[in-house]
Amino acid sequence: MWKEHFEQLYNSLPVNNHRDNFDEKIKTYSFDNPNLLLTVVDINYALSQQKRGKAPGPDGLYMEAFMLGGHRLNLYLSILFNLFLVHGYVPDAFHRATIMPLVKCKTGDLSDVNNYRAIALSNSITKILESLLFSYIESYDAADEYQFGFKKNHSTALCTNVFKKTVNYYREHGSHVFACFIDFNKAFDKVDYWLLFNKLIDNDATNQACILATRLLAFWYSNQQMFVRWQNVSSVFFNIANGVRQGGILSPFLFRFYIRDLIARITNMYIGCCYNGMFINLLAFADDMVIFAPSWHGL
């Protein structure tokens, strides 16, 4: 039951030409002499960002095995990851992950599969590679100022505080505020990752490091295989055609980047509330959003 549910969810988007578009763009780049080199220092830093005490992936290796592996292991990892970037390839062990269904609402219907979210447990070595790739694809845009999800020193409380201050400001000056709250259904799971990779290339088309990292992610994502583990029983593997992995190190940024254009189009309309000289018509905490304006017509 779990296998059929998640296989349908992660293969639910209609066929489109985003993959063909990505392949055409990649063909325009030359990777004969990539000006990119991951060093042992980079590996050390990536390992310092990892957390101990986490569950292992399908290979059974804990993160501590890499964190305490020493200089020689880190040297081998740097050589291995550089080969991945140069050739745009990762082996089968990187493709496979375990899905653990976790209940969303404990007071809800525990027999409803839609009341569970999928947490992907990947092999520990993949988390190290994800941490390294993050520095190559990370970017900033003015639209990110309206996003409070998955950002350091940001929280739901801060997002709520900004919303309440704006509403109170208008109410104190005799105005209404009309608001619409939006929650996308299974937003992470239904990301079109081929569209996402097109966006990543278009965002920084002259950055070779970003192009190499995106090419590697495209190969990685398009060859994913997952199986569900439930009550010590495992399903067979199935392929993944859409979505970013719940629990992945890169997933929060990838989703934030994926919806950046949507946020930018709304905030750049300059229709809505204005507080302290700044237009505020949208606030987002990951996939939970609120849009608001001082009039129904404006909303």
Side-chain angles (χ1 to χ4, degrees), residues 246-258:
Q246 296 274 6
I249 292 176
L250 284 174
S251 298
F253 170 76
L254 291 177
F255 180 78
R256 200 174 75 223
F257 180 85
Y258 185 69

Side-chain angles (χ1 to χ4, degrees), residues 265-277:
R265 290 190 64 179
I266 296 174
T267 55
N268 289 336
M269 293 174 67
Y270 300 110
I271 297 173
C273 297
C274 184
Y275 185 65
N276 282 343

Side-chain angles (χ1 to χ4, degrees), residues 203-264:
N203 183 64
D204 204 351
T206 61
N207 186 341
Q208 187 183 50
C210 178
I211 302 302
L212 285 169
T214 303
R215 182 183 65 162
L216 180 60
L217 283 173
F219 179 85
W220 192 352
Y221 262 72
S222 60
N223 288 279
Q224 287 182 102
Q225 288 187 319
M226 293 190 179
F227 68 91
V228 186
R229 181 177 295 161
W230 178 258
Q231 300 293 338
N232 296 321
V233 179
S234 299
S235 73
V236 297
F237 283 101
F238 57 90
N239 295 323
I240 304 295
N242 53 261
V244 292
R245 290 182 299 184
Q246 296 274 6
I249 292 176
L250 284 174
S251 298
F253 170 76
L254 291 177
F255 180 78
R256 200 174 75 223
F257 180 85
Y258 185 69
I259 63 172
R260 180 185 286 173
D261 291 344
L262 171 65
I263 295 176

Side-chain angles (χ1 to χ4, degrees), residues 1-298:
M1 178 192 71
W2 285 119
K3 184 258 185 183
E4 291 176 356
H5 169 70
F6 287 117
E7 185 177 25
Q8 182 180 13
L9 175 62
Y10 289 118
N11 292 272
S12 58
L13 296 186
V15 177
N16 54 53
N17 61 347
H18 293 150
R19 178 168 188 169
D20 294 335
N21 292 340
F22 178 82
D23 290 339
E24 290 299 321
K25 291 175 183 177
I26 284 294
K27 290 178 183 177
T28 64
Y29 294 94
S30 173
F31 302 108
D32 295 335
N33 297 298
N35 184 23
L36 183 69
L37 182 64
L38 291 170
T39 66
V40 176
V41 175
D42 297 323
I43 304 297
N44 289 335
Y45 178 76
L47 287 170
S48 70
Q49 302 301 303
Q50 306 305 316
K51 297 179 180 179
R52 301 190 182 195
K54 296 294 185 179
D59 64 2
L61 288 176
Y62 287 82
M63 181 59 72
E64 286 83 349
F66 297 95
M67 299 176 74
L68 305 175
H71 177 78
R72 178 175 291 184
L73 176 60
N74 295 349
L75 175 61
Y76 291 154
L77 287 176
S78 66
I79 296 172
L80 179 66
F81 292 158
N82 276 314
L83 289 172
F84 288 172
L85 283 167
V86 170
H87 296 286
Y89 173 86
V90 291
D92 290 344
F94 282 71
H95 299 155
R96 296 180 175 178
T98 306
I99 289 179
M100 302 288 289
L102 293 182
V103 65
K104 294 180 182 178
C105 179
K106 294 182 179 180
T107 59
D109 185 1
L110 298 183
S111 64
D112 182 7
V113 292
N114 293 306
N115 191 29
Y116 292 78
R117 64 166 55 92
I119 300 299
L121 299 180
S122 304
N123 292 331
S124 299
I125 192 173
T126 66
K127 299 177 182 178
I128 305 171
L129 180 57
E130 281 192 272
S131 297
L132 294 164
L133 295 179
F134 180 72
S135 62
Y136 293 141
I137 66 173
E138 184 183 18
S139 62
Y140 169 80
D141 187 86
D144 295 339
E145 295 295 325
Y146 299 88
Q147 174 65 267
F148 290 76
F150 312 122
K151 290 173 63 178
K152 189 176 181 179
N153 300 323
H154 288 69
S155 65
T156 52
L158 182 58
C159 183
T160 304
N161 185 54
V162 174
F163 176 66
K164 291 175 69 175
K165 280 185 174 294
T166 305
V167 172
N168 289 337
Y169 172 80
Y170 273 80
R171 290 184 64 191
E172 290 170 359
H173 288 77
S175 173
H176 295 288
V177 174
F178 294 84
C180 177
F181 294 85
I182 305 166
D183 182 12
F184 295 107
N185 181 37
K186 299 188 181 301
F188 266 56
D189 301 326
K190 293 188 177 181
V191 167
D192 184 339
Y193 55 68
W194 287 114
L195 175 59
L196 168 65
F197 297 142
N198 276 288
K199 288 174 176 283
L200 282 172
I201 289 182
D202 294 339
N203 183 64
D204 204 351
T206 61
N207 186 341
Q208 187 183 50
C210 178
I211 302 302
L212 285 169
T214 303
R215 182 183 65 162
L216 180 60
L217 283 173
F219 179 85
W220 192 352
Y221 262 72
S222 60
N223 288 279
Q224 287 182 102
Q225 288 187 319
M226 293 190 179
F227 68 91
V228 186
R229 181 177 295 161
W230 178 258
Q231 300 293 338
N232 296 321
V233 179
S234 299
S235 73
V236 297
F237 283 101
F238 57 90
N239 295 323
I240 304 295
N242 53 261
V244 292
R245 290 182 299 184
Q246 296 274 6
I249 292 176
L250 284 174
S251 298
F253 170 76
L254 291 177
F255 180 78
R256 200 174 75 223
F257 180 85
Y258 185 69
I259 63 172
R260 180 185 286 173
D261 291 344
L262 171 65
I263 295 176
R265 290 190 64 179
I266 296 174
T267 55
N268 289 336
M269 293 174 67
Y270 300 110
I271 297 173
C273 297
C274 184
Y275 185 65
N276 282 343
M278 179 180 180
F279 269 94
I280 305 177
N281 57 5
L282 179 149
L283 295 172
F285 188 85
D287 58 330
D288 295 314
M289 297 184 181
V290 55
I291 57 174
F292 49 100
S295 69
W296 174 251
H297 180 74

